[in-house]
C-alpha cells in the first residue's frame, strides 16, 4: 500500500472593518487618548510529510546484445538503468514493521514487422546489484533469476514472467535515505529463435507496506 499525503496550506487575510453610526463629541475628542491594540500572529513553517518514492535514470531503453550464446540458447545481455529509491520520512513517521520493495515483471518480446512468434518473458532473467552503500545491511538486492533455459548458475530458472524482487528493505526505520540498484539482464532464447527485432516492456513497481 503506497501512502500518498497531500498538504493543504490555508491563507489568512486581514479584513478592514468600517464602523458606522458612531459619532464623537467635539468636546470629548481631545480629552481621551486613543488606545492602540497590538494584533500579533505566529506563523509556523509549512511541512510536507516524508514519503517513499522511486525513480529510474534517464534512458532510451535497453538494447540487448548477443554475448554468451551456447549450444543450449542464444543469449543477449544488457544492463538495467539505475533505479533509485528515496525515503524522506522521519523516524517518527514510520510505523513499526514498515518495509518497502521494488519488483519487476516483463511482458513477452514481440517481433516488429514480422510474423515471428513472441519470446515469452520466462526467457528473460536478471542479476540485481546494489550500487549504494548500506550501513546496516537492511537494504539488499534481490536474488538472481535465470531464464527457463538455465544459465548454469543454479539461480531459479523461472524468468521474469511473474513479479521478481529487485531491491528491498526488511525494516524501513533501520536505514532511511537513498538506495540505488541496477541489474544485469540476460535473454536466453531457444537456439532456433526466429530472426527479427523484438520488444518487451519491463515494468518496475514500488510497494511500501506495514
Amino acid at each position: 500500500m503506497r501512502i500518498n499525503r497531500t498538504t493543504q496550506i490555508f491563507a489568512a487575510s486581514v479584513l478592514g472593518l468600517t464602523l458606522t453610526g458612531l459619532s464623537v463629541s467635539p468636546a470629548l475628542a481631545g480629552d481621551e487618548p486613543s488606545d492602540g491594540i497590538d494584533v500579533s500572529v505566529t506563523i509556523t513553517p509549512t511541512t510536507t510529510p516524508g514519503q517513499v518514492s522511486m525513480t529510474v535514470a534517464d534512458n532510451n531503453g535497453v538494447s540487448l546484445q548477443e554475448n554468451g550464446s551456447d549450444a543450449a540458447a542464444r543469449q543477449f545481455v544488457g544492463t538495467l538503468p539505475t533505479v533509485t529509491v528515496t525515503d524522506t520520512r522521519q523516524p517518527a513517521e514510520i510505523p513499526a514493521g514498515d518495509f518497502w520493495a521494488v519488483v519487476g515483471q516483463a511482458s513477452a518480446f514481440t517481433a516488429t514487422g514480422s510474423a515471428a512468434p513472441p519470446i515469452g518473458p520466462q526467457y528473460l532473467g536478471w542479476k540485481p546489484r546494489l550500487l549504494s552503500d548500506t550501513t546496516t545491511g537492511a537494504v539488499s538486492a534481490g536474488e538472481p533469476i535465470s531464464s527457463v533455459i538455465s544459465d548454469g548458475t543454479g539461480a531459479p530458472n523461472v524468468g521474469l514472467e511473474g513479479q521478481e524482487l529487485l531491491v528491498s528493505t526488511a525494516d524501513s526505520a533501520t536505514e532511511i535515505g537513498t538506495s540505488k540498484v541496477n541489474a544485469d539482464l540476460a535473454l536466453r532464447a531457444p537456439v532456433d529463435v526466429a530472426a527479427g527485432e523484438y520488444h518487451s516492456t519491463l515494468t518496475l513497481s514500488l510497494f511500501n507496506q506495514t
Side-chain angles (χ1 to χ4, degrees):
M1 177 181 63
R2 182 178 296 174
I3 302 173
N4 297 316
R5 301 182 177 90
T6 301
T7 301
Q8 296 179 321
I9 301 174
F10 297 90
S13 60
V14 178
L15 303 178
L17 303 180
T18 302
L19 303 181
T20 60
L22 299 178
S23 62
V24 178
S25 168
L28 299 177
D31 295 344
E32 297 292 336
S34 59
D35 291 326
I37 300 174
D38 177 67
V39 179
S40 65
V41 62
T42 299
I43 300 176
T44 60
T46 57
T47 58
T48 302
Q51 61 180 353
V52 183
S53 61
M54 178 186 68
T55 57
V56 180
D58 291 341
N59 65 90
N60 295 316
V62 180
S63 179
L64 303 179
Q65 304 297 318
E66 188 162 11
N67 187 356
S69 294
D70 52 31
R74 296 278 301 274
Q75 179 168 285
F76 305 84
V77 299
T79 303
L80 185 74
T82 298
V83 177
T84 301
V85 178
T86 303
D87 191 345
T88 59
R89 297 174 296 177
Q90 297 299 315
E93 297 180 85
I94 303 177
D98 183 273
F99 70 93
W100 56 257
V102 177
V103 298
Q105 183 175 19
S107 66
F109 287 80
T110 56
T112 300
S114 78
I119 304 170
Q122 67 271 24
Y123 290 99
L124 179 66
W126 69 7
K127 183 179 180 180
R129 179 171 51 248
L130 191 64
L131 302 177
S132 55
D133 293 331
T134 172
T135 57
T136 66
V139 178
S140 60
E143 296 296 325
I145 298 295
S146 169
S147 160
V148 290
I149 302 178
S150 177
D151 59 10
T153 64
N157 54 336
V158 295
L160 299 180
E161 185 172 19
Q163 291 185 334
E164 299 295 341
L165 183 64
L166 177 66
V167 63
S168 68
T169 180
D171 183 357
S172 299
T174 301
E175 193 167 333
I176 305 172
T178 298
S179 301
K180 296 180 180 292
V181 66
N182 67 5
D184 296 327
L185 302 175
L187 175 69
R188 287 180 59 79
V191 292
D192 60 351
V193 62
E197 180 180 329
Y198 294 78
H199 291 268
S200 170
T201 299
L202 178 54
T203 301
L204 300 176
S205 302
L206 168 66
F207 295 95
N208 176 212
Q209 296 179 314
T210 300

